[in-house]
Structures are given as C-alpha cells and as structure tokens.
Amino acid sequence: MKPAAAVKLSSSSFDLKKKLSKHVLEIILLVIVILMTFASSGFLTGENLLNILRNMALQGCIAFGMTIVIIAGEIDLSIGSTVALTGVIIGLTTGKLADAGMPMDAAVIVGILLSFVVAGLIGLFNGWILAKYKVPSFIITLAMLNVIYGVAAVISKGFPVTTLPSWYNVLGAGQIFSIPIPAIILLLVFAVIFIVMNYTKFGRSVYAVGGNPESARLSGINVSRVKIICMIVVQLCSALSGVLVSSQVMSGSFNFGKGWEMIAISSVIIGGTSLFGGVGKVWGTFIGLIFLGVLINAMTILNVNEYVQYIVRGLLILTAVLITTIQLMKKRN
C-alpha cells in the first residue's frame, strides 16, 4: 500500500501536468519570445511588437469571425475573396458618386456601408444554401470563393481602383497614442466576439449546434438560424478587414486577400478550436494569432526561407489538429 504522502505527491504532479497540457501553446510562445530576445536585439522592441500587432490585425479580424463558424461545425473559404470585393466596391462607389456630384468624403462612407451590406448578403446566401439544401459549407464557400473573385475582377476590369480621399488612409495606417488603428480595431472585434461567445444565449447556442446539432434542435435551438448568423458574421469581419487593407494601400483590387482564409483558419486551429465543431475559445484564437504573428516575425528576422516558412506553418496546423483530436479522445474515454 502506497504511503499517503506519495499518493498526494503523485496526485499533485498529475494535476500540474494536466494544467500545463492546457497551456502548451502559451509555453511554446514564451520560449520563442525568450530565444528571439537573445537572438536579435531588435525583436523585443516597442516598434517591432507594434509591427506584429499591425500585421496580424488584417487576418485577425477574420479569424475571430471564423472561430464562431468553426465552433458551429462549419467553415468559410470565401473570406479572402470578400476582402478583395470590399476594396473594389468602396473604390468604385466612391468614384461613381463623386462623379455624380457627391462630396468624396460622403461617397467613401456610402461605399464602406455598401460593402458591408454586400458581405452580409454573401454570408446570408451561403448560410441559406447550407440550411436549405444541406450542402457542405466547404463546397458552398469554395465555389463562392471563385465567384466573388470573378465578380471583383469583372467590375474592376482587372485594374486597381484608386478613387479614394486622402483621409481614408488613416483607417489602415494611422495611429492613436502610437498604437496602430488596425490593432485597436482587432482588439475591439476580439472583445465583442469574446463577450458574445462567453456571456450570451447565442454563444451558448453556437457551442450546442457545433457539438450536437440534433440535440440542439431537440432543445429548442433553431440550428439553421444559428448557422446562418455565423456565416454572416464571418463575412462582415472579412469586409472590415477589406476596409483596412484597401485603406493601407489606398486602392481596391481583385488580387487582395488571396490565401487569407488559410491564415485565419490556421490561427483558429492552432488556438485549439476543433474542426469537428463544439469545442474552442475566442481567447485561444487570439493566442493562436499572436503565436503565428511572433513566429512569422521571428522567421523573417532570422532570414528563414519563405518556402521553409510554409512548411513550418503546415506542420504547426497538423500538430495543433493532432493535439486537439487526442484531447477529445481522452475526454470521451
């Protein structure tokens, strides 16, 4: 028979391992930060840290919306094309209304509002097809990715649209108290979605729908409505990102946003959200974003080959999926 002290020590050791296993990503992130601090004097500086925040803001806004969608058990691959269409709509609307006599400042605001309406309608359409015909969201949004890019290219005639007022650049490149405005917007989006997912009935419904749609339906939750709202939210987040990127470069182009869906999905998965639905946290996505941002920044500073960076990202996603899957299997057993 084991002594009581030994049993107690073994139990506390097990609890410590359990706690540490829940924070593997944070531990690895801390190790990378410590190593990079010694490897490069320019890494742990205010300027570089703000640069990381600025760079992760554009895809980060989308990642928080994608978190809701994936927790609900779905996915949206069309978000990058919505980023492109947003910039094109803003530029074209501004130009047309300005030519018609409207002040350019007012015209660009109309363009921004119109781009959000269009993004919302895209999300509504994706969600409606999903709910009405039970077509997998992967297929719907993969098709829409090409459709939306095509529309952006056709209406812009394949050329960048640059009719924008000078102040518009402030949204994507300006600062408030030395903090980049895109970073502030990212934190606001995080705060809103964090509150929604953790403290509202809708947030609980998303988890229920992603975990077991049939049980959620029997509990009185309108599964189709929840999924449609999720699809709309991620599109609105994509439109917001489109506003920021078009503001940074002062133009709209059908080439914007290509591949951003992979970065957003990577952040969500690395942050511990399960692709099977029902499991995940908005805070985890935030940590995943910081992790990816720090890692990419570190590899850039160390002059790591761009193609090697793709390999590292891919392995990270695979590892994150495996860790999440193993944790789910342990819970079920």
Side-chain angles (χ1 to χ4, degrees), residues 15-28:
D15 288 342
L16 180 61
K17 286 181 181 179
K18 193 175 179 181
K19 287 178 182 177
L20 289 176
S21 67
K22 291 181 180 179
H23 301 283
V24 173
L25 189 63
E26 290 91 332
I27 294 168
I28 296 173

PDB file of all heavy atoms in Angstrom, residues 15-28:
ATOM      1  N   ASP A  15      -1.921  16.749 -11.528  1.00  0.00           N
ATOM      2  CA  ASP A  15      -2.665  17.999 -11.708  1.00  0.00           C
ATOM      3  C   ASP A  15      -1.813  19.038 -12.429  1.00  0.00           C
ATOM      4  O   ASP A  15      -2.312  19.784 -13.277  1.00  0.00           O
ATOM      5  CB  ASP A  15      -3.107  18.557 -10.353  1.00  0.00           C
ATOM      6  CG  ASP A  15      -4.235  17.732  -9.735  1.00  0.00           C
ATOM      7  OD1 ASP A  15      -4.876  16.977 -10.491  1.00  0.00           O
ATOM      8  OD2 ASP A  15      -4.443  17.826  -8.511  1.00  0.00           O
ATOM      9  N   LEU A  16      -0.509  19.077 -12.077  1.00  0.00           N
ATOM     10  CA  LEU A  16       0.401  20.023 -12.709  1.00  0.00           C
ATOM     11  C   LEU A  16       0.537  19.713 -14.201  1.00  0.00           C
ATOM     12  O   LEU A  16       0.485  20.616 -15.049  1.00  0.00           O
ATOM     13  CB  LEU A  16       1.781  19.963 -12.035  1.00  0.00           C
ATOM     14  CG  LEU A  16       2.851  20.909 -12.600  1.00  0.00           C
ATOM     15  CD1 LEU A  16       2.408  22.367 -12.461  1.00  0.00           C
ATOM     16  CD2 LEU A  16       4.187  20.689 -11.902  1.00  0.00           C
ATOM     17  N   LYS A  17       0.694  18.419 -14.513  1.00  0.00           N
ATOM     18  CA  LYS A  17       0.800  18.014 -15.920  1.00  0.00           C
ATOM     19  C   LYS A  17      -0.461  18.364 -16.685  1.00  0.00           C
ATOM     20  O   LYS A  17      -0.419  18.802 -17.836  1.00  0.00           O
ATOM     21  CB  LYS A  17       1.074  16.502 -16.015  1.00  0.00           C
ATOM     22  CG  LYS A  17       2.487  16.099 -15.642  1.00  0.00           C
ATOM     23  CD  LYS A  17       2.661  14.597 -15.780  1.00  0.00           C
ATOM     24  CE  LYS A  17       4.081  14.171 -15.381  1.00  0.00           C
ATOM     25  NZ  LYS A  17       4.253  12.703 -15.484  1.00  0.00           N
ATOM     26  N   LYS A  18      -1.600  18.160 -16.044  1.00  0.00           N
ATOM     27  CA  LYS A  18      -2.890  18.449 -16.667  1.00  0.00           C
ATOM     28  C   LYS A  18      -3.025  19.940 -16.963  1.00  0.00           C
ATOM     29  O   LYS A  18      -3.500  20.334 -18.032  1.00  0.00           O
ATOM     30  CB  LYS A  18      -4.022  17.984 -15.748  1.00  0.00           C
ATOM     31  CG  LYS A  18      -5.386  17.941 -16.410  1.00  0.00           C
ATOM     32  CD  LYS A  18      -6.424  17.359 -15.467  1.00  0.00           C
ATOM     33  CE  LYS A  18      -7.795  17.335 -16.137  1.00  0.00           C
ATOM     34  NZ  LYS A  18      -8.833  16.786 -15.235  1.00  0.00           N
ATOM     35  N   LYS A  19      -2.609  20.769 -15.998  1.00  0.00           N
ATOM     36  CA  LYS A  19      -2.686  22.215 -16.182  1.00  0.00           C
ATOM     37  C   LYS A  19      -1.737  22.684 -17.282  1.00  0.00           C
ATOM     38  O   LYS A  19      -2.091  23.528 -18.102  1.00  0.00           O
ATOM     39  CB  LYS A  19      -2.367  22.926 -14.867  1.00  0.00           C
ATOM     40  CG  LYS A  19      -3.479  22.833 -13.828  1.00  0.00           C
ATOM     41  CD  LYS A  19      -3.094  23.521 -12.538  1.00  0.00           C
ATOM     42  CE  LYS A  19      -4.207  23.384 -11.488  1.00  0.00           C
ATOM     43  NZ  LYS A  19      -3.828  23.996 -10.199  1.00  0.00           N
ATOM     44  N   LEU A  20      -0.517  22.122 -17.273  1.00  0.00           N
ATOM     45  CA  LEU A  20       0.466  22.502 -18.285  1.00  0.00           C
ATOM     46  C   LEU A  20       0.025  22.087 -19.679  1.00  0.00           C
ATOM     47  O   LEU A  20       0.274  22.793 -20.654  1.00  0.00           O
ATOM     48  CB  LEU A  20       1.836  21.879 -17.957  1.00  0.00           C
ATOM     49  CG  LEU A  20       2.580  22.455 -16.752  1.00  0.00           C
ATOM     50  CD1 LEU A  20       3.860  21.673 -16.494  1.00  0.00           C
ATOM     51  CD2 LEU A  20       2.913  23.931 -16.964  1.00  0.00           C
ATOM     52  N   SER A  21      -0.640  20.931 -19.780  1.00  0.00           N
ATOM     53  CA  SER A  21      -1.089  20.434 -21.085  1.00  0.00           C
ATOM     54  C   SER A  21      -2.129  21.357 -21.720  1.00  0.00           C
ATOM     55  O   SER A  21      -2.288  21.390 -22.939  1.00  0.00           O
ATOM     56  CB  SER A  21      -1.668  19.022 -20.955  1.00  0.00           C
ATOM     57  OG  SER A  21      -2.875  19.033 -20.207  1.00  0.00           O
ATOM     58  N   LYS A  22      -2.833  22.116 -20.885  1.00  0.00           N
ATOM     59  CA  LYS A  22      -3.835  23.051 -21.389  1.00  0.00           C
ATOM     60  C   LYS A  22      -3.207  24.344 -21.897  1.00  0.00           C
ATOM     61  O   LYS A  22      -3.882  25.148 -22.549  1.00  0.00           O
ATOM     62  CB  LYS A  22      -4.854  23.372 -20.289  1.00  0.00           C
ATOM     63  CG  LYS A  22      -5.755  22.196 -19.917  1.00  0.00           C
ATOM     64  CD  LYS A  22      -6.736  22.613 -18.839  1.00  0.00           C
ATOM     65  CE  LYS A  22      -7.658  21.456 -18.447  1.00  0.00           C
ATOM     66  NZ  LYS A  22      -8.610  21.838 -17.374  1.00  0.00           N
ATOM     67  N   HIS A  23      -1.947  24.562 -21.569  1.00  0.00           N
ATOM     68  CA  HIS A  23      -1.283  25.812 -21.946  1.00  0.00           C
ATOM     69  C   HIS A  23       0.011  25.554 -22.726  1.00  0.00           C
ATOM     70  O   HIS A  23       0.976  26.303 -22.587  1.00  0.00           O
ATOM     71  CB  HIS A  23      -0.996  26.637 -20.690  1.00  0.00           C
ATOM     72  CG  HIS A  23      -2.211  26.992 -19.904  1.00  0.00           C
ATOM     73  ND1 HIS A  23      -3.084  27.986 -20.272  1.00  0.00           N
ATOM     74  CD2 HIS A  23      -2.737  26.441 -18.760  1.00  0.00           C
ATOM     75  CE1 HIS A  23      -4.073  28.061 -19.387  1.00  0.00           C
ATOM     76  NE2 HIS A  23      -3.892  27.130 -18.471  1.00  0.00           N
ATOM     77  N   VAL A  24      -0.004  24.512 -23.538  1.00  0.00           N
ATOM     78  CA  VAL A  24       1.187  24.164 -24.328  1.00  0.00           C
ATOM     79  C   VAL A  24       1.561  25.293 -25.271  1.00  0.00           C
ATOM     80  O   VAL A  24       2.734  25.676 -25.392  1.00  0.00           O
ATOM     81  CB  VAL A  24       0.941  22.860 -25.134  1.00  0.00           C
ATOM     82  CG1 VAL A  24       2.113  22.607 -26.078  1.00  0.00           C
ATOM     83  CG2 VAL A  24       0.754  21.681 -24.202  1.00  0.00           C
ATOM     84  N   LEU A  25       0.552  25.857 -25.957  1.00  0.00           N
ATOM     85  CA  LEU A  25       0.809  26.919 -26.928  1.00  0.00           C
ATOM     86  C   LEU A  25       1.433  28.143 -26.268  1.00  0.00           C
ATOM     87  O   LEU A  25       2.399  28.717 -26.791  1.00  0.00           O
ATOM     88  CB  LEU A  25      -0.505  27.316 -27.614  1.00  0.00           C
ATOM     89  CG  LEU A  25      -0.384  28.258 -28.818  1.00  0.00           C
ATOM     90  CD1 LEU A  25       0.397  27.595 -29.938  1.00  0.00           C
ATOM     91  CD2 LEU A  25      -1.760  28.669 -29.301  1.00  0.00           C
ATOM     92  N   GLU A  26       0.899  28.535 -25.104  1.00  0.00           N
ATOM     93  CA  GLU A  26       1.444  29.694 -24.397  1.00  0.00           C
ATOM     94  C   GLU A  26       2.885  29.450 -23.957  1.00  0.00           C
ATOM     95  O   GLU A  26       3.727  30.357 -24.028  1.00  0.00           O
ATOM     96  CB  GLU A  26       0.586  30.024 -23.172  1.00  0.00           C
ATOM     97  CG  GLU A  26      -0.790  30.594 -23.494  1.00  0.00           C
ATOM     98  CD  GLU A  26      -1.853  29.512 -23.611  1.00  0.00           C
ATOM     99  OE1 GLU A  26      -1.487  28.367 -23.974  1.00  0.00           O
ATOM    100  OE2 GLU A  26      -3.028  29.804 -23.349  1.00  0.00           O
ATOM    101  N   ILE A  27       3.178  28.218 -23.541  1.00  0.00           N
ATOM    102  CA  ILE A  27       4.536  27.877 -23.097  1.00  0.00           C
ATOM    103  C   ILE A  27       5.505  27.954 -24.262  1.00  0.00           C
ATOM    104  O   ILE A  27       6.603  28.534 -24.157  1.00  0.00           O
ATOM    105  CB  ILE A  27       4.568  26.468 -22.452  1.00  0.00           C
ATOM    106  CG1 ILE A  27       3.760  26.467 -21.142  1.00  0.00           C
ATOM    107  CG2 ILE A  27       6.002  26.028 -22.186  1.00  0.00           C
ATOM    108  CD1 ILE A  27       3.497  25.082 -20.592  1.00  0.00           C
ATOM    109  N   ILE A  28       5.106  27.380 -25.413  1.00  0.00           N
ATOM    110  CA  ILE A  28       5.962  27.420 -26.611  1.00  0.00           C
ATOM    111  C   ILE A  28       6.172  28.870 -27.055  1.00  0.00           C
ATOM    112  O   ILE A  28       7.282  29.262 -27.438  1.00  0.00           O
ATOM    113  CB  ILE A  28       5.343  26.595 -27.757  1.00  0.00           C
ATOM    114  CG1 ILE A  28       5.260  25.113 -27.370  1.00  0.00           C
ATOM    115  CG2 ILE A  28       6.173  26.739 -29.040  1.00  0.00           C
ATOM    116  CD1 ILE A  28       4.513  24.252 -28.363  1.00  0.00           C
TER     117      ILE A  28
END
